[in-house]
Amino acid sequence: MLALTRKAGERIVIDDNIVITIVDIKGENIRLAIEAPREIKIYRGELYDAIVAENRQAAVPAKDGILDVLKDIKVRKP
């Protein structure tokens, strides 16, 4: 991890195509502006963590009992 000290108006450049600018600092809050290509996904940390947790939950195999119930369901054709 790289930790930097920046002042308002200063920038950080990542890989020639991502620019992070410190827009404003008020107390413990820092306002950032991020310029990046559209194909690069940018998430707030807590939102990213929620997405990862939901994806892990979705990848958990279904319990055998649930699959047995689904196998017994008959679909009516119109």
Side-chain angles (χ1 to χ4, degrees):
M1 175 189 290
L2 173 64
L4 299 173
T5 302
R6 302 277 75 202
K7 296 178 183 175
E10 293 183 331
R11 302 177 307 143
I12 298 167
V13 179
I14 302 170
D15 198 29
D16 295 331
N17 62 351
I18 301 171
V19 179
I20 301 172
T21 304
I22 310 304
V23 176
D24 191 23
I25 302 171
K26 289 184 181 177
E28 294 184 11
N29 294 316
I30 299 171
R31 187 172 172 89
L32 302 173
I34 303 170
E35 297 175 50
R38 285 191 170 275
E39 61 271 9
I40 294 179
K41 297 175 183 175
I42 301 172
Y43 299 102
R44 294 186 328 244
E46 63 275 11
L47 180 58
Y48 180 79
D49 293 342
I51 292 169
V52 169
E54 190 169 317
N55 286 342
R56 283 187 183 141
Q57 182 64 30
V60 173
K63 300 203 187 274
D64 293 336
I66 293 172
L67 291 177
D68 291 337
V69 170
L70 293 175
K71 288 178 186 175
D72 293 336
I73 294 176
K74 305 277 185 199
V75 178
R76 292 185 187 175
K77 295 182 182 179

XYZ file of all heavy atoms in Angstrom:
612
model
N 0.853 -1.171 0.000
C 0.000 0.000 0.000
C 0.900 1.235 0.000
O 1.911 1.276 0.679
C -0.893 0.010 1.244
C -1.707 1.287 1.322
S -2.599 1.533 2.851
C -3.830 0.286 2.699
N 0.495 2.203 -0.759
C 1.206 3.469 -0.833
C 0.371 4.519 -0.113
O -0.810 4.693 -0.410
C 1.400 3.879 -2.300
C 1.994 5.266 -2.552
C 3.413 5.351 -2.004
C 1.974 5.568 -4.041
N 0.943 5.207 0.843
C 0.247 6.270 1.561
C 0.891 7.600 1.188
O 2.110 7.756 1.290
C 0.327 6.042 3.069
N 0.082 8.533 0.715
C 0.582 9.829 0.271
C -0.090 10.956 1.043
O -1.234 10.819 1.472
C 0.277 10.037 -1.222
C 0.891 9.037 -2.197
C 0.344 9.279 -3.594
C 2.397 9.167 -2.201
N 0.607 12.057 1.186
C 0.017 13.268 1.740
C -0.192 14.226 0.586
O 0.730 14.491 -0.181
C 0.960 13.903 2.789
O 1.198 12.938 3.810
C 0.349 15.145 3.381
N -1.397 14.713 0.417
C -1.739 15.635 -0.661
C -2.506 16.809 -0.081
O -3.196 16.679 0.931
C -2.626 14.959 -1.714
C -2.054 13.731 -2.377
C -1.108 14.007 -3.533
N 0.181 14.475 -3.063
C 1.044 15.169 -3.792
N 0.773 15.497 -5.024
N 2.185 15.534 -3.309
N -2.456 17.937 -0.746
C -3.225 19.124 -0.363
C -4.343 19.323 -1.376
O -4.309 18.762 -2.481
C -2.322 20.353 -0.347
C -1.212 20.271 0.690
C -0.322 21.489 0.615
C 0.814 21.355 1.611
N 1.775 22.453 1.492
N -5.321 20.144 -1.020
C -6.421 20.443 -1.945
C -5.842 20.976 -3.253
O -4.923 21.788 -3.258
C -7.367 21.462 -1.324
N -6.374 20.456 -4.369
C -5.918 20.860 -5.699
C -4.807 19.980 -6.252
O -4.539 20.007 -7.455
N -4.150 19.192 -5.412
C -3.081 18.322 -5.891
C -3.679 17.032 -6.453
O -4.815 16.672 -6.146
C -2.095 18.017 -4.763
C -1.325 19.253 -4.342
C -0.291 18.979 -3.274
O -0.478 18.035 -2.464
O 0.698 19.704 -3.241
N -2.909 16.354 -7.304
C -3.407 15.176 -8.009
C -2.520 13.968 -7.778
O -1.364 14.101 -7.419
C -3.456 15.447 -9.516
C -4.306 16.608 -9.913
C -4.268 16.899 -11.405
N -2.887 17.054 -11.886
C -2.459 16.626 -13.066
N -3.279 16.054 -13.916
N -1.209 16.800 -13.427
N -3.098 12.813 -8.064
C -2.376 11.541 -8.112
C -2.715 10.926 -9.459
O -3.883 10.870 -9.845
C -2.824 10.595 -6.972
C -2.522 11.226 -5.616
C -2.153 9.233 -7.104
C -3.196 10.518 -4.465
N -1.714 10.465 -10.192
C -1.938 9.857 -11.512
C -1.573 8.379 -11.422
O -0.503 8.012 -10.941
C -1.085 10.561 -12.594
C -1.304 9.911 -13.956
C -1.397 12.050 -12.638
N -2.486 7.537 -11.902
C -2.289 6.088 -11.876
C -2.320 5.559 -13.307
O -3.308 5.762 -14.025
C -3.386 5.396 -11.033
C -3.375 5.952 -9.603
C -3.206 3.882 -11.047
C -4.550 5.513 -8.771
N -1.236 4.925 -13.714
C -1.162 4.229 -15.006
C -1.549 5.105 -16.200
O -2.204 4.652 -17.130
C -2.043 2.970 -14.949
C -1.686 1.977 -16.040
O -0.507 1.947 -16.456
O -2.581 1.245 -16.486
N -1.178 6.345 -16.199
C -1.371 7.284 -17.320
C -2.823 7.586 -17.690
O -3.070 8.436 -18.529
C -0.660 6.790 -18.591
C 0.853 6.753 -18.440
O 1.387 7.566 -17.662
O 1.489 5.917 -19.091
N -3.806 6.886 -17.111
C -5.182 7.137 -17.539
C -6.175 7.307 -16.384
O -7.373 7.417 -16.606
C -5.669 6.040 -18.489
C -5.692 4.673 -17.856
O -5.194 4.477 -16.762
N -6.260 3.714 -18.557
N -5.687 7.316 -15.158
C -6.545 7.570 -13.999
C -5.950 8.739 -13.224
O -4.774 8.706 -12.853
C -6.651 6.337 -13.083
C -7.213 5.144 -13.862
C -7.505 6.647 -11.861
C -7.154 3.836 -13.117
N -6.758 9.763 -13.004
C -6.294 10.940 -12.268
C -7.227 11.161 -11.080
O -8.442 11.263 -11.245
C -6.275 12.200 -13.162
C -5.819 13.415 -12.367
C -5.375 11.985 -14.372
N -6.651 11.206 -9.893
C -7.410 11.485 -8.680
C -6.981 12.865 -8.200
O -5.800 13.115 -7.965
C -7.143 10.436 -7.584
C -7.525 9.049 -8.114
C -7.883 10.783 -6.308
C -7.130 7.919 -7.212
N -7.948 13.764 -8.065
C -7.674 15.127 -7.626
C -8.314 15.360 -6.268
O -9.475 14.999 -6.060
C -8.241 16.147 -8.636
O -7.693 15.866 -9.934
C -7.888 17.572 -8.248
N -7.568 15.945 -5.348
C -8.113 16.325 -4.044
C -8.879 17.630 -4.269
O -8.291 18.666 -4.536
C -7.002 16.532 -2.996
C -6.026 15.355 -2.959
C -7.612 16.823 -1.627
C -6.640 14.011 -2.722
N -10.194 17.573 -4.190
C -11.037 18.733 -4.471
C -11.172 19.622 -3.245
O -11.076 20.850 -3.332
C -12.432 18.278 -4.963
C -13.348 19.465 -5.173
C -12.300 17.473 -6.245
N -11.402 18.992 -2.071
C -11.668 19.783 -0.873
C -11.347 18.954 0.369
O -11.469 17.726 0.351
C -13.147 20.200 -0.846
C -13.455 21.240 0.202
O -12.534 21.973 0.624
O -14.625 21.323 0.608
N -10.921 19.626 1.415
C -10.678 18.971 2.699
C -11.392 19.795 3.763
O -11.147 20.990 3.904
C -9.176 18.895 3.027
C -8.415 18.151 1.916
C -8.954 18.240 4.380
C -6.909 18.220 2.050
N -12.309 19.169 4.487
C -13.023 19.812 5.586
C -12.975 18.891 6.790
O -13.643 17.859 6.804
C -14.481 20.097 5.216
C -14.652 21.189 4.203
C -16.118 21.478 3.970
C -16.255 22.569 2.917
N -17.652 22.849 2.594
N -12.198 19.240 7.792
C -12.068 18.396 8.975
C -11.541 17.028 8.599
O -10.467 16.908 8.011
N -12.309 15.987 8.912
C -11.904 14.621 8.605
C -12.403 14.136 7.246
O -12.179 12.995 6.872
C -12.414 13.676 9.697
C -11.771 13.918 11.042
C -12.217 12.913 12.079
O -12.855 11.903 11.712
O -11.913 13.131 13.254
N -13.099 14.994 6.500
C -13.651 14.610 5.200
C -12.793 15.142 4.060
O -12.371 16.295 4.068
C -15.082 15.137 5.048
C -16.025 14.484 6.034
O -15.980 13.282 6.220
N -16.864 15.278 6.661
N -12.575 14.277 3.090
C -11.807 14.641 1.899
C -12.691 14.398 0.691
O -13.286 13.332 0.542
C -10.528 13.785 1.782
C -9.640 14.004 2.998
C -9.785 14.108 0.486
C -8.485 13.053 3.079
N -12.797 15.373 -0.187
C -13.593 15.233 -1.415
C -12.630 14.972 -2.562
O -11.693 15.735 -2.790
C -14.398 16.509 -1.642
C -15.369 16.430 -2.770
C -16.245 17.696 -2.742
N -17.070 17.790 -3.891
C -18.282 17.269 -3.979
N -18.800 16.647 -2.952
N -18.977 17.386 -5.082
N -12.876 13.861 -3.273
C -12.024 13.442 -4.384
C -12.772 13.541 -5.703
O -13.968 13.289 -5.761
C -11.583 11.983 -4.205
C -10.836 11.608 -2.941
C -10.646 10.102 -2.878
C -9.505 12.320 -2.876
N -12.048 13.852 -6.754
C -12.573 13.750 -8.117
C -11.725 12.689 -8.816
O -10.499 12.708 -8.716
C -12.465 15.079 -8.842
N -12.390 11.761 -9.484
C -11.681 10.663 -10.145
C -11.994 10.701 -11.633
O -13.151 10.644 -12.032
C -12.095 9.304 -9.554
C -11.832 9.283 -8.055
C -11.350 8.167 -10.257
C -12.425 8.094 -7.341
N -10.951 10.804 -12.439
C -11.100 10.737 -13.901
C -10.506 9.412 -14.342
O -9.344 9.128 -14.074
C -10.338 11.874 -14.570
C -10.836 13.262 -14.222
C -9.946 14.329 -14.823
O -9.656 14.253 -16.037
O -9.532 15.217 -14.068
N -11.340 8.587 -14.997
C -10.888 7.271 -15.447
C -11.697 6.867 -16.669
O -12.810 7.355 -16.873
C -11.074 6.251 -14.331
N -11.154 5.978 -17.499
C -11.918 5.475 -18.633
C -13.211 4.802 -18.162
O -13.267 4.246 -17.066
C -10.978 4.447 -19.269
C -9.616 4.831 -18.808
C -9.804 5.420 -17.449
N -14.248 4.859 -18.984
C -15.554 4.290 -18.633
C -15.496 2.803 -18.293
O -16.272 2.321 -17.489
C -16.555 4.484 -19.773
C -17.056 5.882 -19.892
C -18.232 5.895 -20.867
N -18.921 7.157 -20.861
C -19.877 7.500 -20.000
N -20.237 6.668 -19.071
N -20.453 8.672 -20.072
N -14.596 2.058 -18.909
C -14.562 0.615 -18.687
C -13.970 0.241 -17.317
O -14.040 -0.909 -16.904
C -13.810 -0.107 -19.803
C -12.374 0.290 -19.961
C -12.135 1.461 -20.895
O -13.092 2.118 -21.326
O -10.957 1.727 -21.191
N -13.398 1.191 -16.613
C -12.859 0.933 -15.277
C -13.965 1.157 -14.253
O -14.564 2.222 -14.189
C -11.645 1.828 -14.986
C -10.505 1.451 -15.929
C -11.216 1.697 -13.529
C -9.265 2.272 -15.769
N -14.240 0.125 -13.461
C -15.293 0.212 -12.446
C -14.714 0.836 -11.187
O -13.642 0.438 -10.724
C -15.852 -1.171 -12.142
C -16.508 -1.807 -13.339
C -16.938 -3.222 -13.033
C -17.512 -3.851 -14.273
N -17.849 -5.246 -14.085
N -15.438 1.791 -10.631
C -15.020 2.467 -9.406
C -16.163 2.352 -8.402
O -17.294 2.736 -8.700
C -14.688 3.953 -9.680
C -13.577 4.055 -10.718
C -14.302 4.657 -8.374
C -13.311 5.468 -11.200
N -15.878 1.797 -7.231
C -16.886 1.615 -6.186
C -16.391 2.222 -4.880
O -15.187 2.199 -4.605
C -17.142 0.125 -5.921
C -17.661 -0.652 -7.088
C -16.835 -1.480 -7.832
C -19.000 -0.572 -7.457
C -17.315 -2.208 -8.905
C -19.485 -1.298 -8.527
C -18.645 -2.116 -9.243
O -19.130 -2.838 -10.301
N -17.326 2.699 -4.052
C -16.986 3.022 -2.669
C -16.670 1.697 -1.990
O -17.244 0.656 -2.326
C -18.163 3.683 -1.962
C -18.521 5.033 -2.513
C -19.597 5.704 -1.676
N -20.527 4.773 -1.065
C -21.815 4.701 -1.330
N -22.363 5.516 -2.196
N -22.594 3.830 -0.709
N -15.762 1.706 -1.032
C -15.309 0.481 -0.374
C -16.434 -0.340 0.217
O -16.500 -1.558 0.033
N -17.368 0.318 0.943
C -18.443 -0.427 1.598
C -19.404 -1.038 0.581
O -19.943 -2.122 0.794
C -19.199 0.457 2.608
C -19.914 1.648 2.022
C -19.047 2.892 1.826
O -17.820 2.815 1.953
O -19.627 3.948 1.526
N -19.600 -0.390 -0.558
C -20.456 -0.945 -1.605
C -19.774 -2.143 -2.263
O -20.402 -3.178 -2.504
C -20.794 0.120 -2.646
C -21.674 -0.313 -3.802
C -23.011 -0.851 -3.297
C -21.903 0.835 -4.753
N -18.481 -2.035 -2.521
C -17.724 -3.135 -3.103
C -17.776 -4.361 -2.188
O -17.991 -5.485 -2.642
C -16.280 -2.710 -3.362
C -15.445 -3.800 -3.955
C -15.528 -4.106 -5.306
C -14.575 -4.551 -3.166
C -14.771 -5.130 -5.854
C -13.817 -5.573 -3.707
C -13.913 -5.853 -5.057
O -13.166 -6.868 -5.594
N -17.587 -4.137 -0.872
C -17.638 -5.244 0.084
C -19.001 -5.920 0.067
O -19.100 -7.150 0.151
C -17.321 -4.743 1.498
C -15.875 -4.275 1.637
O -15.039 -4.647 0.780
O -15.584 -3.541 2.600
N -20.079 -5.134 -0.047
C -21.431 -5.702 -0.101
C -21.625 -6.530 -1.366
O -22.233 -7.603 -1.330
C -22.483 -4.594 -0.023
N -21.113 -6.066 -2.488
C -21.220 -6.801 -3.756
C -20.473 -8.128 -3.657
O -20.982 -9.180 -4.058
C -20.680 -5.952 -4.928
C -21.604 -4.764 -5.185
C -20.511 -6.797 -6.192
C -21.013 -3.733 -6.128
N -19.268 -8.095 -3.100
C -18.470 -9.322 -2.948
C -19.191 -10.319 -2.050
O -19.280 -11.513 -2.365
C -17.065 -8.993 -2.391
C -16.330 -10.258 -1.969
C -16.258 -8.223 -3.428
N -19.748 -9.836 -0.933
C -20.464 -10.732 -0.013
C -21.689 -11.342 -0.681
O -21.964 -12.538 -0.520
C -20.878 -9.962 1.243
N -22.423 -10.548 -1.447
C -23.606 -11.065 -2.139
C -23.217 -12.094 -3.192
O -23.884 -13.120 -3.346
C -24.377 -9.914 -2.778
C -25.725 -10.324 -3.295
C -26.585 -9.145 -3.694
O -26.609 -8.151 -2.965
O -27.219 -9.243 -4.759
N -22.135 -11.851 -3.912
C -21.676 -12.811 -4.920
C -21.240 -14.125 -4.277
O -21.512 -15.201 -4.806
C -20.535 -12.221 -5.742
C -21.011 -11.181 -6.715
O -22.196 -11.103 -7.031
N -20.106 -10.346 -7.181
N -20.584 -14.035 -3.120
C -20.182 -15.260 -2.422
C -21.408 -16.054 -1.983
O -21.438 -17.267 -2.087
C -19.331 -14.916 -1.208
C -17.923 -14.550 -1.560
C -17.067 -14.392 -0.325
N -15.735 -13.967 -0.711
C -15.015 -13.093 -0.052
N -15.467 -12.541 1.047
N -13.822 -12.763 -0.474
N -22.412 -15.340 -1.477
C -23.641 -16.004 -1.027
C -24.349 -16.683 -2.200
O -24.854 -17.794 -2.073
C -24.577 -14.996 -0.353
C -25.850 -15.596 0.176
C -25.600 -16.605 1.286
O -24.643 -16.492 2.028
N -26.456 -17.596 1.391
N -24.359 -16.022 -3.357
C -25.021 -16.589 -4.535
C -24.280 -17.820 -5.056
O -24.887 -18.691 -5.678
C -25.117 -15.530 -5.629
N -22.991 -17.918 -4.774
C -22.191 -19.040 -5.270
C -22.276 -20.262 -4.367
O -21.822 -21.335 -4.746
C -20.728 -18.612 -5.412
N -22.887 -20.133 -3.196
C -23.019 -21.268 -2.282
C -24.004 -22.263 -2.879
O -25.109 -21.884 -3.267
C -23.513 -20.785 -0.889
C -23.814 -21.969 0.004
C -22.480 -19.879 -0.257
N -23.630 -23.526 -2.978
C -24.543 -24.517 -3.563
C -25.833 -24.635 -2.757
O -25.820 -24.526 -1.537
C -23.760 -25.825 -3.500
C -22.358 -25.461 -3.179
C -22.372 -24.096 -2.571
N -26.914 -24.868 -3.461
C -28.218 -25.053 -2.801
C -28.206 -26.349 -2.003
O -27.530 -27.308 -2.354
C -29.322 -25.088 -3.842
N -28.977 -26.378 -0.959
C -29.074 -27.592 -0.131
C -29.853 -28.657 -0.903
O -30.744 -28.365 -1.672
C -29.758 -27.260 1.175
C -29.003 -26.217 1.979
C -29.359 -26.311 3.425
C -28.754 -25.196 4.219
N -27.501 -25.301 4.695
N -29.499 -29.917 -0.675
C -30.120 -31.025 -1.391
C -31.634 -31.042 -1.251
O -32.351 -31.319 -2.195
C -29.545 -32.364 -0.900
C -28.081 -32.510 -1.275
O -27.668 -31.857 -2.254
O -27.374 -33.261 -0.604
N -32.158 -30.742 -0.077
C -33.594 -30.771 0.145
C -34.334 -29.802 -0.754
O -35.412 -30.103 -1.266
N -33.769 -28.663 -0.994
C -34.407 -27.664 -1.851
C -34.461 -28.167 -3.292
O -35.470 -28.032 -3.979
C -33.651 -26.320 -1.768
C -33.803 -25.730 -0.365
C -34.145 -25.347 -2.819
C -32.956 -24.517 -0.098
N -33.392 -28.784 -3.742
C -33.373 -29.305 -5.111
C -34.405 -30.411 -5.296
O -35.037 -30.511 -6.339
C -31.973 -29.811 -5.468
C -30.899 -28.734 -5.616
C -29.549 -29.380 -5.908
C -31.260 -27.750 -6.701
N -34.578 -31.245 -4.284
C -35.577 -32.315 -4.375
C -36.982 -31.742 -4.522
O -37.795 -32.253 -5.290
C -35.513 -33.220 -3.142
C -34.228 -34.052 -3.111
O -33.653 -34.257 -4.204
O -33.816 -34.461 -2.012
N -37.287 -30.670 -3.796
C -38.597 -30.034 -3.889
C -38.796 -29.467 -5.285
O -39.865 -29.624 -5.892
C -38.746 -28.910 -2.826
C -39.994 -28.090 -3.070
C -38.751 -29.515 -1.433
N -37.778 -28.845 -5.826
C -37.897 -28.255 -7.161
C -38.092 -29.331 -8.240
O -38.800 -29.112 -9.211
C -36.665 -27.403 -7.477
C -36.498 -26.135 -6.641
C -35.175 -25.452 -6.984
C -37.653 -25.179 -6.860
N -37.480 -30.496 -8.075
C -37.623 -31.565 -9.049
C -39.056 -32.073 -9.125
O -39.505 -32.538 -10.162
C -36.703 -32.733 -8.694
C -35.244 -32.454 -8.931
C -34.414 -33.650 -8.492
C -32.944 -33.336 -8.574
N -32.113 -34.432 -8.054
N -39.789 -31.999 -8.008
C -41.152 -32.515 -7.951
C -42.192 -31.539 -8.491
O -43.349 -31.903 -8.665
C -41.515 -32.878 -6.487
C -40.695 -34.053 -6.014
O -40.231 -34.832 -6.867
O -40.502 -34.175 -4.789
N -41.793 -30.330 -8.791
C -42.757 -29.341 -9.290
C -43.075 -29.634 -10.751
O -42.186 -29.801 -11.573
C -42.203 -27.909 -9.138
C -42.057 -27.557 -7.660
C -43.119 -26.896 -9.836
C -41.422 -26.212 -7.406
N -44.346 -29.731 -11.061
C -44.797 -29.979 -12.434
C -45.193 -28.644 -13.064
O -45.886 -27.847 -12.461
C -46.004 -30.905 -12.453
C -45.802 -32.204 -11.738
C -45.119 -33.195 -12.627
C -45.057 -34.523 -11.879
N -44.120 -35.420 -12.375
N -44.760 -28.427 -14.282
C -45.098 -27.201 -15.011
C -46.261 -27.496 -15.933
O -46.213 -28.447 -16.733
C -43.868 -26.691 -15.817
C -44.255 -25.461 -16.607
C -42.697 -26.429 -14.901
N -47.313 -26.709 -15.800
C -48.481 -26.882 -16.693
C -48.240 -26.157 -17.999
O -47.775 -25.035 -18.031
C -49.726 -26.298 -16.054
C -50.200 -27.042 -14.856
C -51.493 -26.452 -14.383
N -51.899 -27.045 -13.130
C -52.936 -26.659 -12.448
N -53.688 -25.677 -12.892
N -53.248 -27.239 -11.318
N -48.561 -26.836 -19.069
C -48.461 -26.200 -20.388
C -49.804 -25.606 -20.745
O -50.833 -26.247 -20.545
C -48.013 -27.223 -21.423
C -46.611 -27.738 -21.151
C -46.173 -28.698 -22.219
C -44.781 -29.223 -21.887
N -44.306 -30.158 -22.851
N -49.826 -24.397 -21.293
C -51.114 -23.754 -21.640
C -51.868 -24.467 -22.733
O -51.420 -25.184 -23.510
C -50.721 -22.357 -22.087
C -49.247 -22.294 -22.157
C -48.696 -23.567 -21.594
